[in-house]
Amino acid sequence: MKYLFIPVFVLGLVLNAAAKDRINFRQIDKSKPEQKPVEGTIEKEDWQGVTIKLEGSATSTYAWEKIQEGGVEYGDEPAGIREAKGEREKGNMEGAAAGFTKAAEGLKDKPIFLVHALFNAGLCYQSLKKHDDAIKSYDDLAKAVPGNRFFKETHYNKIHCYLEKGDLAGAKTAIEAAEKAAKDLSVDQPFQILMSLKKAEVIEKEGNDAEATGKFQAVAAQAGSKYPAIAGKAKLGVARVQMKSNPTSAQGTYESITREFKGQRGVMGEAFTGLGDCLMSQGEAKGDMDMIKRAALQYEQTVVLYFPAEGQPTAAYEKALAVGGGAYVLLAQKATSDRAREMYATQARSMALTLLDQYPASSYKQQATDVRTKADDELAKVPKNK
């Protein structure tokens, strides 16, 4: 092994030089020159933006919508957070959750990094379906730094945890708390519309379809073209309610969503999964393999093109992997050639293994396990030397 020799005086200079923080910007208007990154020392982050002290004495604040996703680089990010991120990148979500939680314990005097540690701990627990642990992390974050950078995401995710575990009373209480906190901090209007969306989702879960539909439609109208992500989610709610009684109507709604919200990744993923559900339901009822094939392709759109961004809900993606894999199994079982059987079974197996690897706590785990077994059965029918 070769060792790098660094003179002591040089090492001292390296250690004493504080690494700079860096902000990278979005190019919002392509007709204008791209804004160059800035470097300095980040002094504050809140739900509105980030404040950085630049070279000399100048201080500037930049709104989050002007900054690239993941565009803030920290020169002195704590080792505990870096290690937890490493565990997450390796797929060790349990280790990552524990790492972020432990890191938070030593960051009481560093609020910027405390926020990152607690928020990421919540995300990891949420992906593991450990909803109570996720809620605790989000609560600890809201208590420690009420107006934190992830204010909107924290409250949204907390409500989502209650909905996922079926605690509608908890969801209602969380919505009320979020609205009060937003009022105290004068958080902007989109968050209020977002809370109206979550109220509609609670009504949907309660089974009051007519009221839920009306609420979703009202939210979509209120969001309009100004807040397309919220409008798209509201229209998805309309389609989900329609799916309960009229898959054909739901199919039309999902198709219109895929045309209207092409720039909204989270909306598009759920729309293609919903479209797959419509086609799958009708295809199985009619024994129509062409329709089942179309369903499989819709699920694959979610898996390949519209997988969830970090921190976003994963239910539609998980369902696309499991149910889409099941659709490919059906196609393999009905295949009229070894080549087609192998192709469909291989795709089914790949989708099932992806879910089992990425989401070991998924509610679709058993379904994915069954898909993998059936896919292996079909692959075993293919001659080795075809």
Side-chain angles (χ1 to χ4, degrees), residues 36-56:
K36 294 181 179 180
V38 297
E39 294 185 342
T41 302
I42 291 177
E43 296 184 332
K44 178 186 176 183
E45 291 181 349
D46 61 21
W47 67 269
Q48 293 174 296
V50 54
T51 299
I52 184 169
K53 184 176 182 181
L54 307 173
E55 294 296 331

Side-chain angles (χ1 to χ4, degrees), residues 41 63 70 80 137 166 175 216 312 344:
T41 302
S137 295
I175 291 171
F216 282 128
Q312 296 301 306
Y344 291 138

Side-chain angles (χ1 to χ4, degrees), residues 197-212:
L197 174 67
K198 301 313 285 185
K199 290 177 182 177
E201 291 177 6
V202 171
I203 296 169
E204 177 191 2
K205 292 283 188 181
E206 290 175 331
N208 191 334
D209 294 345
E211 184 180 353

Side-chain angles (χ1 to χ4, degrees), residues 163-197:
L163 289 173
E164 279 199 329
K165 72 178 204 167
D167 185 351
L168 301 186
K172 290 178 181 179
T173 300
I175 291 171
E176 291 175 2
E179 288 181 322
K180 182 181 184 305
K183 183 178 180 180
D184 292 344
L185 292 166
S186 299
V187 176
D188 51 15
Q189 184 191 22
F191 185 74
Q192 304 299 332
I193 303 174
L194 191 62
M195 290 300 99
S196 294
L197 174 67

